């Protein structure tokens, strides 16, 4: 279902509320705008900007009511990080949006609570959790637990690296175990972006006939995740959002299309734009990775790489070679023997997905801001742990002392 055709007048009203912990204080900022434009030759034209009415969720109200207590708590966390020359940034953002097309209207909302830890070398570690709208009684407790876990994890990593017995430059082919967060981001980057219609035209000759492991089920379904992805009923071309299976039974089933790139047929609501100032592009929404069969986890090699956090990645469309960067550890005989805070994993998309030894049933969902074509939109992915056949691993490996291994 598409609620508009041709050139149509579109209104997009946005209200963004933020609460940021900077220099020991929680600072509140609210911005609003109304964009009135129309689609013409594939692009939006912006006509005016005025203040929008203020909107706020119960979550924001609760955070503001507890501002003093939160400031004291975050100051304590920041002090612990400063001892290791690390900086804490806390950022809550909620996004309210009203989109009107000629024949339909869409109301959207999302929020996120982000913990950013910046090291003295300028590297940033970002962890986030969406907070449900409404007012859960445990909201403050959940924030305290979440912040303490993230800060504790980074303090532990930094301490172990500083205590490491030695370091070496690693360049080795190893079996890779992707934890659920890393697995979801891996599929998002190396296959998801490749089957967005604008990119797919560049790789169609190779990808359309590729054979994938028959265990892989790759879908996009925003249902139950609308409030964390910032979507609702329609995309930014007015096409109704529907779930779709992209990869199954060992082959590519569908691509992510938009009116602009593929006309009116077979559309499922993938047109997304950061704002009225940008043209809609084919973009993922909520990517779901699962296995068609349940198998027992096979014995891993004596030595393998376990990727826990995904940082970024990319694919070269011409060769279908990819690289991903993340943090993890070398595991040998069941214990961590080295940490790699910035490991780079390289391989070929088609080769890596042709046979996957194991996909678990421990699926977890994560959410992030995705950048493409000069635009940032909210996306999500859910995936289990995944084992990949040997790939090239490179990076600085910090060798753990025996009493630090686990």
């Amino acid at each position: 279902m598409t609620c508009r055709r041709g050139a149509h007048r579109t209104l997009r009203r946005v209200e963004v509320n933020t609460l940021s912990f900077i220099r020991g204080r929680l600072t509140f900022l609210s911005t609003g705008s109304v964009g009135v434009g129309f689609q013409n030759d594939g692009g939006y034209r912006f006509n005016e900007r005025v203040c929008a009415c203020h909107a706020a969720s119960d979550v924001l109200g609760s955070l503001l009511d507890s501002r003093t207590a939160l400031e004291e708590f975050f100051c304590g966390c920041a002090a612990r990080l400063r001892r290791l020359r690390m900086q804490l940034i806390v950022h809550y953002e909620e996004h309210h949006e009203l989109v009107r097309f000629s024949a339909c209207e869409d109301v959207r909302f999302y929020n996120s609570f982000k913990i950013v830890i910046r090291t003295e070398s300028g590297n940033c570690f970002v962890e986030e959790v969406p907070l449900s709208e409404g007012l859960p009684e445990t909201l403050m407790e959940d924030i305290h637990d979440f912040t303490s876990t993230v800060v504790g994890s980074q303090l532990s990593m930094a301490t172990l690296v500083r205590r490491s017995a030695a370091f070496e430059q690693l360049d080795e082919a190893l079996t890779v175990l992707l934890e659920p967060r890393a697995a979801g981001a891996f599929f998002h980057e190396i296959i998801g972006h490749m089957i967005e219609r604008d990119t797919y035209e560049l790789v169609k000759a190779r990808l359309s006939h590729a054979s994938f492991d028959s265990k892989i089920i790759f879908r996009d379904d925003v249902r139950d995740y609308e409030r964390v992805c910032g979507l609702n009923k329609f995309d930014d071309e007015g096409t109704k959002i529907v779930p779709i299976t992209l990869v199954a039974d060992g082959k590519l089933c569908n691509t992510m299309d938009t009116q602009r790139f593929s006309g009116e047929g077979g559309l499922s609501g993938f047109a997304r734009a950061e704002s009225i100032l940008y043209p809609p592009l084919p973009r993922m929404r909520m990517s779901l990775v699962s296995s068609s069969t349940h198998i027992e986890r096979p014995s891993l090699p004596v030595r393998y790489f376990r990727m826990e956090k995904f940082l970024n990645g990319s694919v070269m469309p011409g060769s279908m070679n990819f690289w991903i960067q993340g943090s993890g550890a070398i595991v040998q005989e069941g214990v961590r023997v080295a940490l790699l805070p910035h490991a780079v994993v390289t391989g070929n998309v088609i080769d890596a997905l042709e046979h996957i030894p194991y996909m678990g049933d421990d699926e977890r969902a994560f959410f992030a801001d995705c950048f493409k074509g000069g635009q940032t939109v909210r996306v999500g992915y859910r995936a289990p742990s995944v084992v990949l056949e040997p790939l090239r691993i490179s990076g600085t490996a910090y060798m753990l002392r025996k009493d630090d291994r686990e």
Side-chain angles (χ1 to χ4, degrees):
M1 172 183 174
T2 301
C3 67
R4 65 192 190 96
R5 299 288 188 272
H8 289 268
R9 191 172 176 83
T10 303
L11 180 143
R12 189 165 178 177
R13 182 166 62 193
V14 180
E15 173 90 15
V16 180
N17 298 319
T18 62
L19 191 63
S20 299
F21 176 73
I22 303 173
R23 298 193 180 119
R25 298 296 302 273
L26 279 172
T27 303
F28 172 71
L29 177 66
S30 180
T31 61
S33 67
V34 174
V36 181
F38 57 90
Q39 189 175 9
N40 186 16
D41 298 327
Y44 276 105
R45 201 145 105 201
F46 188 77
N47 290 338
E48 64 176 305
R49 181 184 294 268
V50 296
C51 288
C53 58
H54 292 286
S57 71
D58 290 341
V59 169
L60 178 60
S62 180
L63 293 174
L64 290 172
D65 290 343
S66 306
R67 180 183 291 186
T68 301
L70 285 172
E71 285 177 346
E72 292 177 358
F73 170 66
F74 292 145
C75 282
C77 293
R80 294 168 62 195
L81 289 168
R82 277 198 299 272
R83 298 188 189 106
L84 290 174
R85 298 179 182 177
M86 300 164 78
Q87 179 186 8
L88 174 68
I89 302 170
V90 180
H91 183 77
Y92 171 78
E93 177 175 312
E94 60 182 37
H95 184 107
H96 304 259
E97 187 171 359
L98 170 66
V99 183
R100 285 198 182 116
F101 301 102
S102 59
C104 62
E105 179 177 287
D106 208 22
V107 179
R108 305 168 183 172
F109 169 84
Y110 73 80
N111 68 3
S112 67
F113 182 84
K114 295 182 181 179
I115 303 292
V116 182
I117 296 176
R118 181 177 295 155
T119 67
E120 60 182 330
S121 61
N123 294 318
C124 287
F125 172 84
V126 182
E127 188 81 63
E128 77 165 88
V129 60
L131 299 176
S132 60
E133 198 176 20
L135 192 58
E137 295 181 359
T138 60
L139 179 64
M140 293 304 118
E141 182 180 332
D142 291 344
I143 288 176
H144 281 62
D145 290 346
F146 173 69
T147 306
S148 296
T149 299
V150 173
V151 171
S153 172
Q154 288 306 292
L155 285 171
S156 175
M157 171 72 82
T159 300
L160 289 174
V161 167
R162 286 172 180 265
R163 284 164 50 89
S164 62
F167 66 89
E168 63 181 47
Q169 294 303 313
L170 184 74
D171 186 5
E172 184 177 354
L174 293 171
T175 294
V176 178
L177 169 62
L178 299 173
E179 298 291 353
R181 175 189 288 274
F186 174 77
F187 276 90
H188 172 97
E189 289 293 339
I190 75 155
I191 187 65
H193 279 305
M194 292 299 100
I195 55 179
E196 292 170 332
R197 173 58 71 169
D198 51 348
T199 306
Y200 180 68
E201 293 301 321
L202 303 176
V203 300
K204 183 177 180 179
R206 300 196 64 186
L207 206 54
S208 60
H209 302 294
S211 295
F212 301 105
D213 193 297
S214 59
K215 290 190 292 294
I216 301 172
I217 299 176
F218 185 50
R219 299 180 295 122
D220 193 293
D221 188 352
V222 78
R223 291 176 298 181
D224 298 328
Y225 296 102
E226 296 93 339
R227 308 294 278 182
V228 287
C229 291
L231 295 168
N232 193 10
K233 297 178 181 179
F234 301 96
D235 71 2
D236 289 329
E237 288 179 334
T239 300
K240 187 172 179 61
I241 292 174
V242 297
I244 188 172
T245 298
L246 299 162
V247 175
D249 299 322
K251 64 180 184 298
L252 180 66
C253 305
N254 291 289
T255 58
M256 291 172 259
D257 298 346
T258 66
Q259 293 179 36
R260 179 185 177 193
F261 285 94
S262 63
E264 299 286 340
L267 299 175
S268 301
F270 285 101
R272 305 188 65 187
E274 179 178 330
S275 75
I276 198 76
L277 297 172
Y278 297 91
L281 298 175
R283 303 293 296 269
M284 282 170 279
R285 304 166 311 197
M286 183 70 195
S287 305
L288 308 179
V289 180
S290 60
S291 176
S292 62
T293 59
H294 174 71
I295 61 173
E296 294 297 322
R297 180 160 148 176
S299 298
L300 291 167
V302 172
R303 180 178 170 90
Y304 64 91
F305 175 64
R306 184 178 74 205
M307 179 176 281
E308 299 160 356
K309 302 292 184 185
F310 180 96
L311 298 176
N312 50 48
S314 183
V315 178
M316 297 296 293
S319 63
M320 295 300 290
N321 291 332
F322 70 85
W323 64 268
I324 58 173
Q325 185 180 37
S327 62
I330 299 296
V331 179
Q332 189 164 311
E333 296 182 342
V335 298
R336 295 190 307 172
V337 297
L339 298 178
L340 282 84
H342 299 284
V344 177
V345 181
T346 56
N348 181 271
V349 173
I350 296 173
D351 293 342
L353 298 182
E354 187 174 15
H355 179 248
I356 293 182
Y358 173 74
M359 298 180 69
D361 55 8
D362 53 342
E363 298 174 14
R364 294 179 58 196
F366 303 92
F367 310 93
D369 299 321
C370 179
F371 182 81
K372 168 187 164 180
Q375 303 186 48
T376 300
V377 299
R378 289 291 293 176
V379 298
Y381 38 80
R382 191 184 74 199
S385 54
V386 173
V387 174
L388 301 174
E389 292 188 324
L391 297 169
R392 181 63 56 181
I393 315 297
S394 59
T396 303
Y398 295 88
M399 315 308 294
L400 296 178
R401 303 190 312 187
K402 286 186 177 181
D403 54 347
D404 285 333
R405 297 177 181 180
E406 57 181 47

